[in-house]
Amino acid sequence: MPGYEVIGDEELTEIRSVFSAGGVLVRHGFDVRRNGAYKVAEFEREFAAYMGAPYALGVTSGTAALRVALAALGIGRGDSVLIPAFTFVATAEAVIEAGAIPVCVEVDETLNIDPADLERRIRSDSRAVIAVHMLGTPADISRIREICDRNSLDLIEDTAWGCGGAVDDKKLGTWGRIGTFSFDFAKTLTTGEGGMLVFSREDDFKAAAAWHDHGHENNPQLPRWEDSRTSSGFNYRMNELQGAVGLAQLRKLDRILEGQRQHHSLLRAEVEDIPGVQIRTAPLGSSATDDALIFTVPTAEAALRCRSELVGAGIGTKILPEAVSWHFAGDWTHMPEIALGVGTSLEDAFPTTRALLARSVAIPVSADLDARPGPGLRNAIRDALDSE
Ligand SMILES: *Cc1c(COP(=O)(O)O)cnc(C)c1O
């Protein structure tokens, strides 16, 4: 769990420095008045360096980051984009907002895209895959990238939960052509609301930077009011207060991850030997952010019993099973584009994902290094599974 647990004096100091430098809250312009304070630009530089990516761009949210990524790649009407059937609605919303059709793909035991189903669902209008590292466990990203390369599909990584995670020491978000991050209040790093994109290609970065800023090219030869432009765009600009908080948060990322990983392994040790508990699988070589401890139990009824026992013990669950309808495409009857993308009714569209999620339980993980699981956890799960 996340950045909000460690918000403190460092964030406040960064915000104060924006005000003491002149109080310019917008990222562009006012060069004299701001006395050298460019917090968003500094956050982007430090974020890119941390990730090992050549370019980064701050935006207003993780959803905006996805929308900007699709715009930078020219994806829109007439195109379809493959996304996992288990993700937050935002992944699908960005595709719909771009005018494209989301085509949802089943997940496997990693609870991320099943590469075999991904291959089956590629269509002639498919332009890109958005892989999601759901709740901090990496997707099988090297295999997904290989499938994308072989089928000329662009790979975008929705790294909303994977900030700081890696596969084979390569950071999540840098495997694809573009990686997107969320800094909303539930994510690993938070700026209240906010997001980031990382790019491997300069042309993608330039296209995204312009599109997220009404088409502004920020031409150094011209004042901003006469700026050059070659396309329209929108406004998804991050502001200086978000940049300031983001800088302080980024400097705490390794500590957050250390806390989550430590707490995760303690929680895991409490439950992994209980008969019926199967811990979520992670791809080989992966370094998870361990945002939640996820396991499956034998039946959907047992998962619901786990939830009520955990709530009774004051522990609670995270997304699975209580908020699954916000995260499972088979329940998104409010978005007609989802059914359009599969060509069947949603009830029958994703049987594997539906069954897996119904049997899954996710326990929130704290970033607090001193957090210790109480006796309630093991007892709650044992009680829930005893009646099997
Ligand atoms: C949180 C989240 C987003 C959206 O991020 P916001 O910053 O809340 O807009 C996108 N994708 C996934 C998988 C998420 O969990």
Side-chain angles (χ1 to χ4, degrees), residues 61-64 66 87-88 90-91 132 134 158 160-161 181-184 187 193-194 327:
S61 72
T63 313
L66 289 164
T87 182
F88 182 50
T91 317
V132 183
M134 236 355 225
D158 180 341
W161 293 107
F181 296 81
S182 164
F183 308 131
D184 80 24
K187 298 289 160 51
E193 301 280 3
H327 297 84

Side-chain angles (χ1 to χ4, degrees), residues 82 103-106 113-124 126 129 143-151 153:
L82 296 135
V103 175
C104 298
V105 176
E106 296 259 40
I113 283 185
D114 172 2
D117 195 55
L118 173 64
E119 288 221 65
R120 277 195 290 275
R121 297 203 192 226
I122 294 171
R123 329 191 308 192
S124 57
S126 298
V129 174
R143 227 177 122 198
I144 293 169
R145 190 166 80 174
E146 186 269 316
I147 292 168
C148 286
D149 289 347
R150 193 152 33 77
N151 292 278
L153 300 171

